Amino acid sequence: MISFGIKDLIDILLVAVLLYYTYRSMKESGALNIFVGVFAFIMVWVVVDKILGMKLLGTIMDRIIDSGIFILIIIFQDQIKRFLTELGSKRGWKSISKLWHSGQPKNARKKWVMPIVYACMSLSKSKTGALIVIRQNFSLEDYEHSGDIINAEVNNRLLENIFFKNSPLHDGAVIIDDGKIKAAGCILPVSHDTSLPKYLGLRHRSALGISQATDAIAIVVSEETGNISYAHRGEMHLKLSSTDLDRALSNLIE
């Protein structure tokens, strides 16, 4: 007789949660097809080895599974790092982690949202290209060091001057952390997501790339059209008004 207790229910729920977060992480990073392929291979292995008892094929697949784990760790090291970072900062330890990398309460942090919105509005009117990245929980220190360290309070005039067409820093990204412009002229990872419209340029692909690699919010002002967009968690939101951007940032900034 098969017994089903509370431990079995908890076991199933934990596996479901793990699969969901793995699926979400793979979708955001553009590696969903790999996740589906790995999942399908595991299902075939379970059927062949555990249910049908095919010893020869099962043994071959066992060897692939044994060595495949290490290969997957190497391939998905960025996703694993991100998952562990989110696990430590948002699941039970959120209030403690914020003490380490956020000295301002939530309301105080939102005071510097408007200067960013004003800067984007001004840059949009003049069709000046811009890429602004707002740090959340995931560290952006490596990307900060790819540009020039500034460490200045968020100011809309300063942002506009950084992205002025004759400025030596206008081609890179500005990184904002805890109400401060940490660095400018930063180099970001470029997304190779084929679903992104072809008319979007390198700034948009860089914004999507950093949003896939981290939990940061990346704002883009198009140099061709002046349209304002933002990327977050692997999704690009296009053609925003200033009100849309203000609302989005106020809701997303943690």
Side-chain angles (χ1 to χ4, degrees):
M1 183 177 179
I2 300 175
S3 60
F4 186 85
I6 187 68
K7 285 199 301 183
D8 300 304
L9 178 61
I10 294 174
D11 188 22
I12 293 173
L13 289 175
L14 290 175
V15 171
V17 169
L18 180 61
L19 287 174
Y20 167 74
Y21 277 104
T22 304
Y23 169 82
R24 192 185 73 174
S25 179
M26 295 299 103
K27 182 180 179 181
E28 292 169 359
S29 63
L32 182 57
N33 290 338
I34 298 177
F35 171 77
V36 173
V38 170
F39 187 75
F41 182 86
I42 292 175
M43 291 297 100
V44 172
W45 170 68
V46 170
V47 171
V48 168
D49 189 46
K50 307 300 180 184
I51 298 177
L52 300 180
M54 296 177 159
K55 293 185 179 180
L56 181 58
L57 186 57
T59 301
I60 294 173
M61 296 185 77
D62 282 341
R63 297 294 176 267
I64 296 174
I65 290 289
D66 290 341
S67 59
I69 292 175
F70 298 102
I71 296 173
L72 289 176
I73 290 175
I74 294 172
I75 294 175
F76 297 118
Q77 56 182 320
D78 291 336
Q79 285 78 12
I80 293 170
K81 182 180 179 181
R82 177 176 173 179
F83 173 76
L84 294 175
T85 300
E86 290 188 352
L87 186 66
S89 61
K90 293 186 176 181
R91 297 292 180 263
W93 299 97
K94 189 172 182 179
S95 60
I96 296 176
S97 66
K98 284 187 176 181
L99 295 176
W100 291 98
H101 53 249
S102 179
Q104 299 178 339
K106 191 170 185 177
N107 291 336
R109 276 179 285 156
K110 289 192 176 182
K111 288 181 180 178
W112 44 264
V113 167
M114 285 314 298
I116 298 175
V117 175
Y118 289 144
C120 290
M121 289 171 58
S122 178
L123 294 166
S124 174
K125 288 179 181 178
S126 62
K127 291 188 178 180
T128 302
L131 177 53
I132 301 171
V133 179
I134 302 174
R135 179 193 182 234
Q136 297 276 66
N137 292 304
F138 202 96
S139 175
L140 301 178
E141 189 174 353
D142 290 341
Y143 303 109
E144 291 172 11
H145 289 301
S146 68
D148 293 311
I149 303 299
I150 294 180
N151 248 340
E153 297 292 331
V154 171
N155 181 287
N156 56 303
R157 292 186 182 276
L158 177 56
L159 288 172
E160 291 171 35
N161 286 331
I162 289 174
F163 291 111
F164 180 66
K165 292 180 181 180
N166 292 329
S167 168
L169 300 176
H170 79 281
D171 276 336
V174 161
I175 295 179
I176 294 176
D177 180 8
D178 201 18
K180 288 189 175 183
I181 300 174
K182 299 291 288 186
C186 301
I187 300 172
L188 304 182
V190 177
S191 173
H192 299 285
D193 192 336
T194 56
S195 65
L196 200 65
K198 292 183 178 180
Y199 64 84
L200 297 179
L202 186 60
R203 283 192 181 94
H204 290 82
R205 291 196 171 275
S206 296
L208 187 60
I210 194 68
S211 77
Q212 291 173 339
T214 71
D215 62 349
I217 306 164
I219 307 166
V220 184
V221 179
S222 172
E223 189 172 355
E224 287 75 24
T225 64
N227 290 334
I228 301 173
S229 310
Y230 80 88
H232 182 58
R233 294 196 175 279
E235 293 186 7
M236 182 67 74
H237 304 264
L238 302 171
K239 298 180 180 179
L240 304 175
S241 67
S242 57
T243 303
D244 294 334
L245 181 62
D246 181 25
R247 185 184 301 114
L249 294 182
S250 297
N251 291 333
L252 293 174
I253 292 175
E254 300 177 356

